[in-house]
């Protein structure tokens, strides 16, 4: 496919979210698969809602995910600028063209009048659309309204016809233009609307394919009408399936955790895990395979394998995927990433003082780690003495007397060892328990709780080796004193 150019065009009116990230990913994969260009364009014409902080969030989120754009903000390109707020003269020029060619007109209807029209149509059980009454205004009336300073919107004239969207995902979709009505392309405050700016920018930037959410399908019909009126070549369109929650409700930016920065990056999801999971929300490789790197996705991606049905977002599956990627990381890489999530100053100082011990700690919890944000809680006991109730030391089907005996035996056996190694500690502790009428589980449970203060933790022999003789004896002695109180 020659000269493929796709784009992602988010509005900076909120945080960079899952739906936009998936749309960006599919566009990125299509561009890379076809050796094309991936363009980032910021649609910031909504002055009341667009904010610089959201622009930064979009850019940082895209970079974090590894979705680097070929043209756009911070990247040189010949077809910029890539912020719509900097392209307003271009939109004005094309609006004037439509007005002069009688393909658009000025609408002086007030919000109250428009709402009254909609209410009447609903009561009559008619589809809501603009009546078109301002299309019939005389030149004299228009001039008088303008002279009086009446605000006006600009509406595009829609004649009765059938508009067919040749969707690359859904197949042909037909729209009856009679149900669309004359739609606005410029608001009464002079701001150009999304449907117009998108049409103009996609043409002037040479966009060949537009992949976006299914909710934009009706907008595509309007954009095809605008393309024809402006003499533009039409890009090919493909509309991605919606993302639903497990209960089949639509994901909401207000109700659901969807922010890439706040809900995923900040909690310790890995970008490669999130990319892998998002790719499978609506796309299938045609196999049972579930794990793909970004480069592997580029090789495998085919737009024909994007489905029509809604994709179901399963947070547990995403968590499993993240855990898989964490377990696959090299220890040094994992330690570097985990360090960013340690907020406790005391622990962080000790980590920096003894990086080798930190690596040991990370290695012991790696299998249990599902989110990088869990790391501080999982390794805290390595860096400060644990706090727990004495009753936690007692294993099921054991009692306080047997537990105290087990800890005292463990203390004496460990004292005899010059160095705590996996093989030695396992042999002497199991042997001591057996020789003294204890079950191995009673002793190992009590020692592990004495070391960690937790019901669940890494194995006791691995912990003893990591802590070393002095620290292990100190913690076991503390446990013995707890039971004697």
């Amino acid at each position: 496919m020659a000269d493929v150019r796709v784009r992602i065009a988010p509005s900076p009116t909120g945080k960079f979210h899952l739906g936009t990230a998936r749309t960006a990913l599919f566009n990125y994969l299509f561009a890379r698969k076809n050796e094309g260009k991936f363009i980032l364009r910021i649609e910031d014409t909504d002055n009341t809602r667009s904010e610089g902080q959201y622009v930064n969030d979009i850019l940082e989120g895209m970079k974090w995910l590894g979705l680097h754009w070929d043209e756009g903000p911070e990247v040189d390109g010949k077809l910029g600028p890539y912020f719509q707020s900097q392209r307003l003269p271009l939109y004005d020029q094309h609006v004037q063209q439509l007005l002069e060619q009688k393909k658009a007109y000025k609408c002086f209807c007030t919000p109250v009048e428009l709402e009254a029209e909609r209410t009447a149509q609903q009561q009559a059980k008619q589809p809501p659309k603009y009546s078109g009454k301002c299309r019939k205004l005389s030149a004299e009336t228009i001039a008088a309204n303008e002279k009086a300073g009446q605000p006006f919107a600009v509406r595009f004239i829609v004649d009765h016809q059938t508009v067919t969207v040749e969707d690359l995902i859904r197949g042909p979709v037909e729209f009856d233009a009679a149900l669309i009505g004359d739609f606005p392309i410029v608001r009464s405050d002079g701001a150009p609307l999304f449907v117009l700016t998108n049409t103009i920018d996609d043409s002037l930037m040479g966009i060949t394919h537009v992949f976006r959410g299914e909710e934009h399908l009706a907008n595509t019909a309007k954009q095809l009408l605008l393309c024809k009126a402006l003499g533009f070549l039409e890009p090919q369109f493909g509309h991605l399936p919606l993302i639903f929650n497990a209960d089949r409700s639509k994901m909401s930016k207000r109700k659901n955790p969807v922010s890439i920065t706040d809900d995923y990056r900040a909690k310790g999801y890995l970008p490669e895990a999130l990319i892998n999971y998002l790719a499978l929300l609506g796309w299938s490789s045609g196999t049972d395979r579930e794990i793909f790197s970004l480069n592997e996705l580029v090789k495998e991606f085919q737009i024909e394998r994007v489905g029509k049905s809604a994709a179901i977002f399963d947070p547990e599956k995403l968590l499993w995927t993240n855990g898989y990627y964490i377990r696959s990381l090299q220890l040094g890489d994992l330690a570097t990433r985990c360090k960013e999530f340690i907020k406790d100053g005391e622990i962080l100082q000790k980590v920096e003082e003894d990086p080798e011990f930190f690596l040991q700690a990370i290695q012991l919890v790696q299998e249990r780690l599902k989110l990088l944000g869990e790391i501080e809680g999982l390794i805290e006991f390595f860096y400060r003495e644990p706090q727990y109730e004495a009753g936690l030391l007692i294993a099921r089907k054991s009692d306080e007397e047997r537990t105290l005996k087990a800890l005292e035996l463990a203390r004496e056996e460990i004292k005899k060892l010059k160095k705590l190694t996996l093989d030695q500690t396992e042999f002497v502790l199991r042997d001591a328990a057996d020789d003294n009428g204890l079950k191995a589980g009673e002793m190992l449970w009590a020692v592990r709780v004495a070391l960690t203060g937790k019901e669940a933790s890494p194995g006791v022999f691995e912990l003893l080796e990591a802590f070393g003789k002095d620290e292990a004896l100190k913690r076991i002695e503390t446990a013995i004193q707890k039971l004697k109180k």
Side-chain angles (χ1 to χ4, degrees):
M1 211 176 294
D3 300 324
V4 164
R5 290 175 61 82
V6 300
R7 50 75 168 177
I8 178 73
S11 299
T13 55
K15 290 280 190 175
F16 183 50
H17 61 85
L18 276 179
T20 303
R22 186 194 63 168
T23 300
L25 173 61
F26 282 20
N27 277 277
Y28 176 92
L29 295 176
F30 187 83
R32 296 292 177 261
K33 175 77 171 184
N34 295 289
E35 299 181 353
K37 298 293 185 183
F38 176 55
I39 292 95
L40 172 61
R41 187 174 73 223
I42 303 296
E43 300 193 340
D44 59 344
T45 54
D46 188 341
N47 292 328
T48 59
R49 298 173 59 213
S50 295
E51 295 186 28
Q53 63 174 319
Y54 297 138
V55 173
N56 293 333
D57 191 65
I58 291 166
L59 301 185
E60 291 305 311
M62 294 273 286
K63 293 174 190 174
W64 179 71
L65 290 171
L67 303 179
H68 301 288
W69 52 98
D70 301 303
E71 299 174 25
E74 303 180 357
V75 180
D76 289 336
K78 296 179 180 179
L79 298 175
Y82 296 93
F83 286 86
Q84 286 192 333
S85 59
Q86 298 171 13
R87 300 173 65 85
L88 296 177
L90 288 170
Y91 310 139
D92 291 342
Q93 174 187 336
H94 287 88
V95 169
Q96 289 306 312
Q97 176 186 332
L98 292 172
L99 287 170
E100 290 168 6
Q101 294 176 349
K102 306 300 183 185
K103 295 176 180 178
Y105 58 90
K106 297 174 181 179
C107 173
F108 295 89
C109 293
T110 65
V112 173
E113 291 172 320
L114 293 173
E115 182 59 35
E117 269 195 7
R118 279 191 292 270
T119 300
Q121 289 166 341
Q122 289 170 350
Q123 291 174 348
K125 297 183 178 180
Q126 297 172 346
K129 68 171 186 176
Y130 179 58
S131 63
K133 62 182 181 181
C134 283
R135 194 203 288 200
K136 305 169 186 176
L137 294 179
S138 65
E140 292 76 18
T141 301
I142 293 172
N145 287 343
E146 287 185 304
K147 186 176 181 180
Q150 290 189 32
F152 62 86
V154 177
R155 290 182 178 273
F156 179 75
I157 295 174
V158 180
D159 295 322
H160 291 191
Q161 58 185 293
T162 298
V163 182
T164 302
V165 178
E166 298 291 347
D167 197 289
L168 293 172
I169 295 171
R170 308 179 67 82
V173 182
E174 292 188 345
F175 290 87
D176 182 355
L179 300 177
I180 297 175
D182 297 346
F183 57 86
I185 55 175
V186 179
R187 288 197 293 259
S188 58
D189 62 2
L193 286 163
F194 159 88
V195 69
L196 174 73
T197 58
N198 257 352
T199 303
I200 295 170
D201 288 343
D202 286 346
S203 177
L204 298 184
M205 292 183 177
I207 301 302
T208 59
H209 298 76
V210 175
F211 298 108
R212 58 187 182 184
E214 176 185 325
E215 65 272 19
H216 288 295
L217 194 49
N219 286 325
T220 298
K222 296 176 181 178
Q223 287 181 236
L224 290 177
L225 290 170
L226 283 167
C227 279
K228 183 178 179 181
L230 291 167
F232 291 161
L233 290 176
E234 301 171 2
Q236 291 183 269
F237 288 89
H239 292 85
L240 309 175
L242 298 174
I243 301 176
F244 282 176
N245 294 303
D247 61 2
R248 301 199 68 80
S249 62
K250 187 177 177 183
M251 290 198 83
S252 165
K253 287 185 283 187
R254 295 180 181 177
K255 297 180 181 179
N256 304 115
V258 295
S259 166
I260 296 298
T261 303
D262 296 344
D263 297 314
Y264 295 98
R265 183 177 184 177
K267 292 178 181 177
Y269 285 88
L270 303 185
E272 49 267 58
L274 193 54
I275 282 287
N276 190 153
Y277 184 76
L278 287 176
L280 299 177
L281 278 181
W283 172 81
S284 168
S285 67
T287 70
D288 293 332
R289 184 178 174 187
E290 295 183 304
I291 301 300
F292 295 88
S293 69
L294 184 56
N295 287 336
E296 288 169 337
L297 286 169
V298 169
K299 293 177 182 177
E300 297 290 334
F301 188 76
Q302 292 177 307
I303 197 66
E304 294 81 6
R305 289 195 173 277
V306 176
K308 301 176 185 178
S309 302
I312 305 300
F313 182 80
D314 181 353
E316 290 302 315
K317 187 59 177 290
L318 172 57
L319 196 60
W320 176 88
T321 303
N322 202 62
Y324 175 89
Y325 274 89
I326 285 176
R327 293 190 297 275
S328 302
L329 288 176
Q330 294 293 319
L331 189 59
D333 186 9
L334 177 58
T336 299
R337 299 195 198 203
C338 283
K339 190 174 177 181
E340 297 178 16
F341 287 84
I342 298 176
K343 308 303 180 186
D344 185 298
E346 180 186 350
I347 294 176
L348 187 58
Q349 181 179 348
K350 292 179 179 180
V351 165
E352 292 173 342
E353 290 173 351
D354 191 350
E356 287 301 317
F357 183 65
F358 181 51
L359 285 175
Q360 282 184 287
I362 292 292
Q363 186 174 32
L364 290 179
V365 302
Q366 185 170 10
E367 288 294 317
R368 309 176 65 84
L369 192 61
K370 293 181 180 179
L371 293 169
L372 298 182
E374 297 171 341
I375 191 61
E376 192 173 290
L378 286 176
I379 67 169
E380 181 182 15
F381 65 81
F382 285 101
Y383 293 97
R384 56 170 63 108
E385 289 193 34
Q387 303 296 315
Y388 56 92
E389 297 296 326
L392 188 60
L393 292 160
I394 304 171
R396 284 183 64 187
K397 299 183 179 179
S398 188
D399 56 38
E400 185 174 316
E401 181 180 349
R402 291 172 66 86
T403 301
L404 182 59
K405 180 180 179 181
L407 286 170
E408 290 175 336
L409 281 169
R411 178 185 62 189
E412 298 310 311
E413 293 300 323
I414 289 172
K415 281 182 179 179
K416 297 175 186 177
L417 297 174
K418 289 184 178 180
K419 187 177 182 181
L420 305 190
T421 64
L422 283 173
D423 292 341
Q424 282 186 309
T425 52
E426 181 169 10
F427 175 77
V428 300
L429 292 184
R430 288 186 183 278
D431 202 40
D434 188 53
D435 289 346
N436 290 274
L438 296 171
K439 293 180 180 179
E442 291 179 284
M443 178 177 285
L444 301 183
W445 174 275
V447 172
R448 188 170 56 76
V449 172
L451 296 175
T452 68
K454 295 181 179 295
E455 293 186 46
S457 73
V460 65
F461 309 117
E462 290 85 351
L463 287 168
L464 285 168
E465 185 175 56
F467 278 117
K469 185 175 178 177
D470 291 345
E471 183 66 22
L473 286 173
K474 176 183 174 183
R475 294 189 179 205
I476 290 171
E477 185 62 39
T478 298
I480 290 170
Q481 298 307 316
K482 279 180 179 283
L483 284 173
K484 287 183 174 180
K485 286 182 179 179

